[in-house]
Amino acid sequence: MLIPHDTRIALDTVVDLVNTAPENEPPGDGPADGLVDGVMEGPEDGLPDVAALYAFAERHHISGVGTLGEKDLAAVRDVRSRFAEVFAAPDARTAADLVNRLVAAAGTTPQLTDHDGYDWHVHYFAPDASLSDHLAADCGMALAFIIVAGEQERLRRCEAPDCGLAFVDLSRNRSRRYCSSRTCGNRLHVAAYRARRREAGT
């Protein structure tokens, strides 16, 4: 699937944003069953505070961020939950409706820009947009590109039973099942191999 460079960057951003939600904490090497010193701990939010929000913006080279506060953090978390709904949408029409509402609420205003040494590209957010509106507009339009192309089913969740991270399947035949073949995919393949060995009695 041929995707413009700017759209690919926005897709990477929205996937990373959705995966910061507490329910999407990937499997790790910590204590089993979420127990720490005998106390059950829930998954952590990947955007726990304003400092983490600044770090997210810097990691994705988001320009014009300005000064961020608790209000911005709450707004970005709200946009994050709306993007998660797009990934969970059962069909293209539902996904399209969700994206339409997102980009409309963000006051989407397409404009050409060549800021910071980059070639001409389109920004879909207003020049003075908040970070949440910036994300809603640019990432929303990237998801719209996928839907318009008839590829809504490429917006997926990892099939590993203990994962569920979001990803965009860009494989030729839409065959990707895991967020990462090196982590979740490899773990399940190894588990399946060991299960076959046990069944075979070897």
Side-chain angles (χ1 to χ4, degrees):
M1 183 180 183
L2 184 61
I3 299 178
H5 177 68
D6 293 339
T7 301
R8 178 62 181 269
I9 290 175
L11 289 172
D12 289 343
T13 301
V14 70
V15 165
D16 192 19
L17 178 62
V18 169
N19 288 338
T20 64
E23 63 269 21
N24 295 321
E25 186 179 32
D29 299 323
D33 301 321
L35 286 172
V36 177
D37 294 331
V39 178
M40 179 65 73
E41 290 195 345
E44 297 180 359
D45 195 316
L47 293 176
D49 50 37
V50 174
L53 189 59
Y54 273 116
F56 178 89
E58 181 178 359
R59 184 164 68 250
H60 290 283
H61 308 288
I62 298 175
S63 60
V65 170
T67 302
L68 300 175
E70 292 296 331
K71 183 178 179 180
D72 297 287
L73 179 61
V76 169
R77 285 175 173 171
D78 180 62
V79 167
R80 176 179 68 184
S81 67
R82 295 175 186 273
F83 280 136
E85 291 177 3
V86 178
F87 276 83
D91 52 56
R93 185 170 296 279
T94 303
D97 181 58
L98 291 165
V99 170
N100 281 340
R101 281 186 276 159
L102 261 170
V103 298
T108 304
T109 54
Q111 59 179 327
L112 286 166
T113 179
D114 63 345
H115 66 89
D116 298 330
Y118 292 102
D119 274 339
W120 289 105
H121 58 286
V122 179
H123 278 180
Y124 293 98
F125 54 91
D128 58 347
S130 64
L131 178 57
S132 59
D133 282 348
H134 179 140
L135 292 168
D138 263 18
C139 295
M141 291 305 297
L143 293 175
F145 176 91
I146 297 293
I147 297 168
V148 168
E151 303 285 2
Q152 179 255 341
E153 65 183 51
R154 290 183 183 271
L155 305 178
R156 296 183 172 178
R157 291 284 187 171
C158 182
E159 293 184 16
D162 56 350
C163 183
L165 289 177
F167 67 93
V168 179
D169 178 9
L170 298 180
S171 64
R172 284 180 178 270
N173 58 356
R174 305 181 187 90
S175 60
R176 184 175 164 190
R177 298 171 57 199
Y178 308 112
C179 61
S180 171
S181 59
R182 290 177 296 178
T183 54
C184 288
N186 187 58
R187 283 189 305 108
L188 290 186
H189 289 151
V190 169
Y193 170 76
R194 289 175 176 169
R196 290 194 299 271
R197 296 265 297 186
R198 286 195 298 269
E199 290 176 1
T202 59

